[in-house]
Amino acid sequence: MNYIEVELKLEPDYSEILMAELGEAGFESFVETDEGLLAYIPENDFDENELNKLTAKYQDLTAIAATWKSLERRNWNEEWEKSYEPIEVSNQVRVRATFHEPDPSFKYDLLIQPKMSFGTGHHETTWLVMNEQLSLPHQGFSVMDVGCGTGILAILASKLGATHILGFDIDEWAVENTRENFSMNNLPSKTEVFQGTITEVQKGQVFDGILANINRNILLAEIPTYVSHLKDGGWLVVSGFYETDQVDIERCAEENNLKKIRSNTRNQWACVVFEKLNNS
């Protein structure tokens, strides 16, 4: 499967809002450039008319030009390496590629080599979830990463002390990439990843914590299932939706025996932490 690379030339002030719009339209990865933005979407999901409508929406606000091309799988690492910069979260986590030197001032050093997978750390929602993970208990925990992308959230969970990790994604590239990234970060043997959805997680298998950085509609449909795989008192972190959708997410969680612990936002994206209430 090939990907489409869209190059947007625009003013820097509009990069964040365009990433948000493109994320809703199915684009999975983004790289900011000196001239604007590169965005990536599976070729089968690309709609040129939708792209034209989106750029036209902002023509009155800023000069914007969009071009696109089909990007073969083998070209991705080369393109990514040209512009990828490490990501830093709360002065504790640094996500870097193998060609970056480690920085000992950061407590948690994460290595990734994405292959068009969502979750390089640059997207607001990935940053938000990692930031929340730093305040949650992980030591000795079992953690499930729903829609794992590059596996970055699961890798941080392991570095925070989780001893059993399960990740899955519907994208075969994401699964392949997660396995490679798990290996690069020396994750323990009790680490699993498979291609599929939450429906393929064994019934009765429960976790101390669940990470779900997906999108509004999937979260609303799957939160009841997440709860069935969460231990009493366990935590659930959800992101991948706008601030305006947060009320719907919280209502669904409350209806499914979850208590809101806290929430955070970053450039119009939201993240919420819940705790499963005891059944007794």
Side-chain angles (χ1 to χ4, degrees):
M1 177 177 63
N2 288 345
Y3 271 67
I4 295 295
E5 177 188 78
V6 173
E7 180 178 10
L8 291 162
K9 294 184 178 180
L10 72 165
E11 296 175 31
D13 289 346
Y14 288 89
S15 290
E16 294 290 351
I17 187 64
L18 261 296
M19 277 194 280
E21 293 266 23
L22 291 166
E24 284 292 295
F27 283 77
E28 297 179 355
S29 300
F30 307 93
V31 176
E32 294 187 73
T33 68
D34 292 338
E35 296 183 317
L37 187 67
L38 297 176
Y40 300 90
I41 186 172
E43 193 170 52
N44 293 339
D45 296 336
F46 178 62
D47 186 329
E48 186 176 7
N49 290 330
E50 289 300 316
L51 177 64
N52 291 336
K53 288 179 184 178
L54 180 58
T55 54
K57 179 179 176 180
Y58 290 91
Q59 288 288 359
D60 293 337
L61 300 175
T62 181
I64 181 171
T67 58
W68 63 271
K69 64 181 180 182
S70 178
L71 184 68
E72 294 182 9
R73 180 177 184 177
R74 59 184 172 81
N75 291 336
W76 168 242
N77 286 342
E78 178 185 353
E79 294 296 320
W80 176 71
E81 289 182 11
K82 288 178 183 177
S83 51
Y84 181 83
E85 292 296 331
I87 304 103
E88 300 172 1
V89 181
S90 300
N91 297 317
Q92 293 191 61
V93 179
R94 186 170 184 261
V95 183
R96 64 180 177 91
T98 53
F99 52 84
H100 293 124
E101 291 296 322
D103 185 339
S105 66
F106 288 86
K107 186 175 182 180
Y108 304 107
D109 179 45
L110 280 62
L111 284 170
I112 62 168
Q113 183 74 22
K115 288 182 172 62
M116 301 300 292
S117 301
F118 180 87
T120 61
H122 287 96
H123 195 274
E124 309 295 352
T125 60
T126 312
W127 189 98
L128 282 164
V129 174
M130 289 193 292
N131 186 59
E132 292 300 337
Q133 285 181 260
L134 292 172
S135 301
L136 290 168
H138 284 72
Q139 194 65 43
F141 274 31
S142 57
V143 174
M144 180 166 66
D145 185 359
V146 179
C148 55
T150 58
I152 188 173
L153 303 179
I155 292 167
L156 179 57
S158 178
K159 290 183 180 291
L160 289 167
T163 53
H164 182 195
I165 304 286
L166 174 66
F168 57 86
D169 201 293
I170 60 171
D171 189 314
E172 64 175 312
W173 288 19
V175 172
E176 176 186 320
N177 190 206
T178 294
R179 288 180 176 139
E180 292 178 355
N181 290 335
F182 280 1
S183 178
M184 280 199 304
N185 288 272
N186 300 313
L187 263 65
S189 58
K190 287 186 178 180
T191 302
E192 306 170 59
V193 60
F194 69 86
Q195 183 180 353
T197 69
I198 187 69
T199 60
E200 293 160 75
V201 177
Q202 185 177 356
K203 289 185 178 180
Q205 187 173 8
V206 292
F207 299 84
D208 299 291
I210 298 176
L211 304 161
N213 182 20
I214 311 184
N215 65 53
R216 172 190 180 276
N217 292 337
I218 293 179
L219 289 172
L220 291 175
E222 294 187 351
I223 279 176
T225 309
Y226 303 159
V227 173
S228 71
H229 289 287
L230 189 61
K231 294 180 181 178
D232 289 352
W235 48 258
L236 168 66
V237 184
V238 296
S239 192
F241 52 91
Y242 292 123
E243 292 178 67
T244 51
D245 295 319
Q246 185 171 330
V247 63
D248 293 331
I249 298 294
E250 292 183 5
R251 183 184 301 113
C252 177
E254 184 179 354
E255 291 171 352
N256 286 278
N257 203 36
L258 292 170
K259 173 186 176 183
K260 178 183 174 181
I261 303 301
R262 60 180 177 271
S263 63
N264 196 4
T265 59
R266 184 177 171 94
N267 295 322
Q268 301 180 19
W269 294 92
C271 177
V272 188
V273 180
F274 297 103
E275 178 183 332
K276 182 177 178 179
L277 299 173
N278 293 331
N279 289 318
S280 58

